[in-house]
Amino acid sequence: MKNLKYVFSIVLLTFIIGCGYTPMKTSENINFYIIELNIQGDRQINNIILSKLKKYQKPDENKKKIILNISTNYKKNVVNKDKNGNPKNYKISITNIVKLNLGDGKELSKNFIRNSSLSAQDKKIDEREAEKIKKLDLAKLLTDDIVFYLINNN
């Protein structure tokens, strides 16, 4: 029985190592750097985007130079209400319009949308805190979407 466990472990390890997995966001895959970054819209979301894109602003002569314009829009809509008319659930939506200007005069544009739902809380301070956490999580996801878009379109 012990030998069977060892054989199974070795076979499993061989499959995991030999599967050919490579991460998408390695430095070898990144063939661009941002020479100019313009962001408009919600300040909290833009601060997250700026901090995560800052590492792509290091000049490198072997990589393409791009100018990136991002417009951020944040919406919080009431999805349903209770019998007294008080909100029960909200839909949080963040939209990013990304305009990418490549050095050769080529311009690309893409819209990124992320949504999440939020339950109303009895205490408004708890609700605001939960909204802030959801908002930051969505901003991080959108930034990852933007980076993958930049990697795949250069």
Side-chain angles (χ1 to χ4, degrees):
M1 190 66 174
K2 260 188 171 178
N3 289 337
L4 186 63
K5 285 183 182 180
Y6 289 126
V7 169
F8 180 73
S9 297
I10 291 172
V11 170
L12 183 64
L13 185 62
T14 304
F15 279 120
I16 291 174
I17 291 173
C19 73
Y21 171 78
T22 56
M24 294 263 314
K25 288 183 0 181
T26 62
S27 60
E28 296 136 12
N29 292 343
I30 298 171
N31 59 351
F32 67 90
Y33 72 93
I34 301 169
I35 57 172
E36 188 178 330
L37 179 60
N38 302 311
I39 299 181
Q40 303 172 355
D42 189 272
R43 187 176 50 84
Q44 283 182 325
I45 296 168
N46 291 344
N47 286 340
I48 296 292
I49 293 171
L50 264 174
S51 67
K52 291 193 77 151
L53 290 180
K54 198 166 274 215
K55 65 182 172 184
Y56 301 105
Q57 291 183 310
K58 296 177 185 164
D60 187 350
E61 294 303 319
N62 299 327
K63 297 181 180 182
K64 292 183 184 178
K65 300 174 186 176
I66 61 171
I67 298 171
L68 194 60
N69 297 307
I70 301 173
S71 178
T72 305
N73 187 16
Y74 174 75
K75 288 184 182 176
K76 178 182 172 185
N77 297 322
V78 176
V79 175
N80 58 8
K81 298 180 180 184
D82 63 8
K83 61 183 177 182
N84 295 328
N86 298 323
K88 283 178 64 175
N89 293 310
Y90 298 98
K91 177 183 176 186
I92 295 174
S93 179
I94 300 176
T95 304
N96 277 353
I97 301 169
V98 176
K99 294 183 181 176
L100 175 66
N101 187 344
L102 303 172
D104 56 1
K106 186 178 174 185
E107 285 193 23
L108 301 172
S109 182
K110 174 98 171 142
N111 292 346
F112 297 95
I113 301 170
R114 288 286 182 155
N115 299 311
S116 184
S117 58
L118 177 69
S119 298
Q121 306 288 325
D122 291 334
K123 296 181 180 178
K124 290 299 174 189
I125 189 128
D126 293 339
E127 185 176 308
R128 273 188 246 126
E129 197 61 37
E131 179 182 356
K132 183 179 176 182
I133 290 168
K134 293 260 186 183
K135 191 176 185 181
L136 295 178
D137 289 343
L138 289 175
K140 290 176 185 175
L141 290 172
L142 281 167
T143 305
D144 289 340
D145 291 345
I146 292 169
V147 170
F148 285 127
Y149 175 70
L150 293 174
I151 289 171
N152 293 325
N153 285 301
N154 272 322

